[in-house]
Amino acid sequence: MIRAEGKMTQQNIDTFSDFENFFDTSPDLLCVAGYDGFFKRINPAVSRLLGYTEEELKSKPINDFVFSEDKNSTETARNELKKKVPLFNFENRYLTKEGNIVWLLWTSLPMENHQLVYAIAKNITYKKELEQERNAHLAQLTKINEEYKQLTYTSAHDLRSPVNNLLSVFELLDTSKISDPETLELIGVLKVTSEGLKDTLNEYVSVLDKKNDQIAKIENVDLNESLQEVLLSINSLIQNSSTTIVIDFSSFEAVHFNKAYLKSIFLNLITNAIKYGKTHESPIVTIRSYQSTTTKQLIISDNGIGFDMDKVKGKVFGLHQRFNKKSDSHGIGLYLVYNHITSLGGKITLESKLNEGATFTITFPTE
């Protein structure tokens, strides 16, 4: 009872009634516990959640209702309360009458003069279940990622053998017996392309041998040199498609980056531009550097079929995302480009309209 000057006033009665109403109707778990480890008072929310009557909850020590693995930590926390140390954001598990586990988040305040603890708890079971589900997904994604990395490593590693065999054939080939200039030129192109492929595979294996992308070799890479190596390797594709390559590296000529990644970026964006060119129009690919006061950017644009950005926005750099019916489209190229760039701290954006080409802007990490 609340008294003022020895008499119960109407205001006190109303205040007491409001408190009782709040205590009984609160969706949070409200309770008063004794230093002896027993509930002294609980609100209906406690009984509803745990499935016990108020009499059952008061008849046994509180720890009898606590999940077995949390009994020790709960007892330790209760002893701290007895030392006048308030308890905030303490989590533990209780067992309901039906044997289900519920997670509670507690705030408890000790009242030493009355040997009581006033406590409020929130049911965070749903949040914990979401966390467990998320952790399970993360574990699965980590496993898949490791398997993907291993597959990539194995593929790059195993491809080196047939490439080496191909180079051995060129060493055994007696070109002095070949008189046709065009045939000699094609053999030369094949040999240079094979050597470039071998170097690229060696670089990839070297990078994949490391524990993660963050420790991939970073060096000062000449843009034109890397681009020319790529253009030489796809020279036949460029000629057969009548593709025009426009190059302008006047803004800056080198960048601090991983060379194998840069060549892969050039390769994927150029071959995509050719692959998705307009039917009756020769592809034109423009590659230029741009430098502001704070950033270095590589801008690669084409005059191809472009993208419907309303449909592809947010998905264009995803794995196995395909936006046309071409049989040789696998949805891997742009995914690799995105990961090469972002794994080293850079970013890439796309501007495009359907049938009006596409422009990829790569912003390199600050050196």
Side-chain angles (χ1 to χ4, degrees):
M1 300 288 285
I2 302 174
R3 296 184 181 277
E5 298 180 355
K7 294 182 179 180
M8 192 71 171
T9 67
Q10 184 61 46
Q11 182 179 1
N12 289 338
I13 292 173
D14 291 342
T15 301
F16 182 76
S17 177
D18 289 343
F19 171 77
E20 289 293 306
N21 185 54
F22 166 75
F23 189 90
D24 290 338
T25 60
S26 173
D28 290 329
L29 284 66
L30 305 177
C31 65
V32 180
Y35 275 26
D36 59 359
F38 283 79
F39 285 120
K40 302 302 180 184
R41 185 176 179 186
I42 59 172
N43 71 339
V46 179
S47 295
R48 285 197 298 271
L49 180 64
L50 298 182
Y52 293 98
T53 65
E54 184 174 347
E55 291 72 22
E56 288 174 321
L57 289 168
K58 288 180 177 179
S59 66
K60 296 180 181 180
I62 295 173
N63 243 26
D64 285 6
F65 303 102
V66 176
F67 184 58
S68 58
E69 293 182 12
D70 293 345
K71 289 183 183 291
N72 290 338
S73 61
T74 302
E75 185 64 33
T76 300
R78 187 177 295 114
N79 290 334
E80 289 296 306
L81 286 167
K82 292 178 182 179
K83 297 176 185 177
K84 299 188 289 186
V85 179
L87 192 65
F88 299 104
N89 299 319
F90 176 74
E91 297 179 359
N92 66 355
R93 288 165 288 184
Y94 277 65
L95 277 176
T96 68
K97 194 170 185 177
E98 293 182 352
N100 298 319
I101 296 175
V102 292
W103 279 91
L104 300 179
L105 178 68
W106 292 92
T107 296
S108 305
L109 299 174
M111 298 294 175
E112 188 181 20
N113 54 334
H114 296 297
Q115 298 287 286
L116 295 174
V117 175
Y118 291 83
I120 180 171
K122 291 183 178 294
N123 182 3
I124 58 170
T125 306
Y126 179 67
K127 175 185 174 184
K128 286 293 183 179
E129 289 174 348
L130 286 179
E131 288 180 357
Q132 291 173 357
E133 184 177 351
R134 182 196 64 186
N135 291 336
H137 284 314
L138 286 174
Q140 181 66 16
L141 286 173
T142 300
K143 180 182 178 182
I144 292 172
N145 186 53
E146 288 302 317
E147 291 175 350
Y148 174 74
K149 286 165 66 176
Q150 184 59 39
L151 175 62
T152 305
Y153 173 85
T154 303
S155 299
H157 184 275
D158 291 350
L159 280 172
R160 290 191 299 181
S161 293
V163 171
N164 287 333
N165 288 336
L166 182 59
L167 289 171
S168 297
V169 171
F170 288 118
E171 294 298 326
L172 296 172
L173 189 63
D174 186 0
T175 55
S176 64
K177 296 180 180 179
I178 302 174
S179 58
D180 181 41
E182 186 175 348
T183 302
L184 288 171
E185 182 182 353
L186 288 174
I187 291 173
V189 169
L190 286 173
K191 182 179 180 182
V192 171
T193 302
S194 300
E195 289 172 344
L197 178 58
K198 177 185 177 182
D199 291 340
T200 299
L201 288 172
N202 286 337
E203 288 184 59
Y204 268 119
V205 170
S206 177
V207 170
L208 292 167
D209 271 336
K210 302 180 186 298
K211 292 184 179 180
N212 55 61
D213 289 332
Q214 293 181 343
I215 56 175
K217 183 180 178 182
I218 305 299
E219 58 186 321
N220 203 46
V221 183
D222 186 284
L223 295 176
N224 191 59
E225 180 183 310
S226 298
L227 176 59
Q228 291 304 323
E229 290 181 20
V230 171
L231 295 180
L232 184 60
S233 69
I234 57 172
N235 183 58
S236 296
L237 176 63
I238 293 172
Q239 290 187 0
N240 291 337
S241 60
S242 300
T243 298
T244 300
I245 307 291
V246 180
I247 305 168
D248 179 7
F249 292 144
S250 58
S251 184
F252 66 89
E253 299 178 351
V255 67
H256 211 55
F257 204 65
N258 178 269
K259 186 175 182 180
Y261 286 2
L262 183 61
K263 288 167 63 176
S264 177
I265 292 166
F266 280 139
L267 178 66
N268 280 288
L269 293 184
I270 294 171
T271 54
N272 272 6
I274 297 173
K275 184 190 299 183
Y276 303 116
K278 295 176 183 176
T279 305
H280 302 296
E281 189 174 340
S282 297
I284 300 174
V285 183
T286 301
I287 305 169
R288 64 185 180 92
S289 60
Y290 171 77
Q291 184 169 9
S292 68
T293 55
T294 57
T295 61
K296 282 185 173 182
Q297 293 180 324
L298 184 65
I299 302 171
I300 302 177
S301 57
D302 63 64
N303 64 335
I305 61 176
F307 296 86
D308 184 340
M309 295 304 292
D310 291 333
K311 292 183 178 180
V312 308
K313 192 173 183 180
K315 300 186 294 183
V316 69
F317 296 112
L319 181 62
H320 298 312
Q321 294 294 327
R322 300 172 61 182
F323 308 108
N324 57 75
K325 298 180 180 180
K326 283 183 174 288
S327 60
D328 58 347
S329 176
H330 304 292
I332 296 177
L334 291 183
Y335 172 79
L336 289 175
V337 168
Y338 177 83
N339 279 276
H340 289 335
I341 296 165
T342 57
S343 67
L344 296 181
K347 65 179 182 179
I348 180 171
T349 58
L350 167 64
E351 293 181 12
S352 182
K353 290 183 179 180
L354 204 59
N355 294 318
E356 294 185 20
T359 297
F360 293 90
T361 300
I362 298 162
T363 302
F364 292 103
T366 304
E367 297 180 10

